[in-house]
Amino acid sequence: MKYSILIFIFFITTCKSTTQEIEHKEKSYSLANCPIPLSQGKIYGNYGKPQDTKTIFKLLEVLLNDICEGNLNHVSQMVHNDLGLFIDAKGHWTKEEMLKEITDPNGYFAIYFFDQKALDQKKGGEGYLTIQNALKSSNGLVIDMYFDSSQETEVKIQFNENPKNARYLINPVFKKIDKEWMLMRML
């Protein structure tokens, strides 16, 4: 009996989880198995270094995983404290405003990212998709990166299936600040 307990404890402590750990600087993210495959596409421009593209790709994996799970738990770690986040072409929030919106069950992120019924009510009818539903309809994403400089890239997300649903997204933008890639514009 004593040996059975020791073997059981050893098995539990040495068994690997089904989640994957990703480290970004001093931050660690845990990924569940998101059903949306993500693959690297083309890199445009002369500034995309392999380490930078790898880091941005991993940040996108974390963001996609959160959206799959119905939350944005890691976004605050990706947004610069002073620069905030553009949520679309015109809307900009400070980090504090963004954090408030993320926790609001009737806020922008809850409606446009996750709650299909609330989005239908807000838009006055059906036919629109939440970001989560649009991404799930893709059956996989291909990520192209456009480096205008060594400090900034715009990401184009292509859908493997239902490419028309990509219209619900905007191209995220990442900027390197103090040697760390930060999310500047949300998808």
Side-chain angles (χ1 to χ4, degrees):
M1 178 74 170
K2 180 176 165 183
Y3 292 111
S4 298
I5 293 172
L6 287 174
I7 291 171
F8 179 71
I9 291 171
F10 176 77
F11 178 75
I12 289 175
T13 58
T14 59
C15 229
K16 294 207 182 220
S17 169
T18 58
T19 61
Q20 175 187 5
E21 291 291 325
I22 288 184
E23 291 192 27
H24 172 62
K25 279 282 184 186
E26 296 172 15
K27 301 168 188 161
S28 179
Y29 304 102
S30 179
L31 298 183
N33 292 324
C34 182
I36 305 168
L38 190 62
S39 61
Q40 179 68 55
K42 296 179 181 176
I43 308 297
Y44 296 94
N46 297 323
Y47 303 102
K49 295 179 183 173
Q51 184 57 41
D52 292 331
T53 59
K54 181 180 175 184
T55 299
I56 293 163
F57 189 83
K58 288 185 181 293
L59 289 171
L60 286 167
E61 283 182 311
V62 171
L63 185 57
L64 180 62
N65 188 73
D66 278 0
I67 293 169
C68 284
E69 291 184 346
N71 65 64
L72 293 170
N73 290 342
H74 297 100
V75 170
S76 65
Q77 298 170 20
M78 296 179 198
V79 175
H80 193 268
N81 288 333
D82 297 328
L83 300 178
L85 180 69
F86 285 92
I87 55 162
D88 57 29
K90 299 175 188 170
H92 179 267
W93 287 333
T94 64
K95 187 168 183 176
E96 185 177 304
E97 291 169 327
M98 180 208 65
L99 291 171
K100 185 177 177 185
E101 271 307 304
I102 284 176
T103 59
D104 183 352
N106 299 310
Y108 172 84
F109 291 111
I111 293 171
Y112 285 93
F113 277 67
F114 306 114
D115 191 340
Q116 188 63 58
K117 194 179 286 188
L119 181 62
D120 291 343
Q121 288 177 344
K122 182 144 184 97
K123 295 288 189 175
E126 296 178 359
Y128 295 92
L129 292 178
T130 63
I131 299 297
Q132 183 184 55
N133 287 337
L135 289 168
K136 285 182 178 180
S137 77
S138 70
N139 196 28
L141 304 170
V142 177
I143 305 301
D144 291 340
M145 295 183 196
Y146 296 81
F147 282 88
D148 294 329
S149 74
S150 61
Q151 304 299 307
E152 189 168 330
T153 187
E154 183 171 346
V155 176
K156 182 176 181 184
I157 300 173
Q158 299 179 67
F159 285 34
N160 287 338
E161 293 180 7
N162 300 308
K164 67 183 183 329
N165 290 342
R167 73 180 185 262
Y168 296 107
L169 310 177
I170 59 174
N171 293 344
V173 172
F174 289 86
K175 185 172 185 155
K176 196 177 214 180
I177 303 168
D178 298 326
K179 299 181 182 179
E180 185 173 2
W181 285 99
M182 306 300 290
L183 180 63
M184 299 302 295
R185 184 171 66 195
M186 187 61 146
L187 56 104

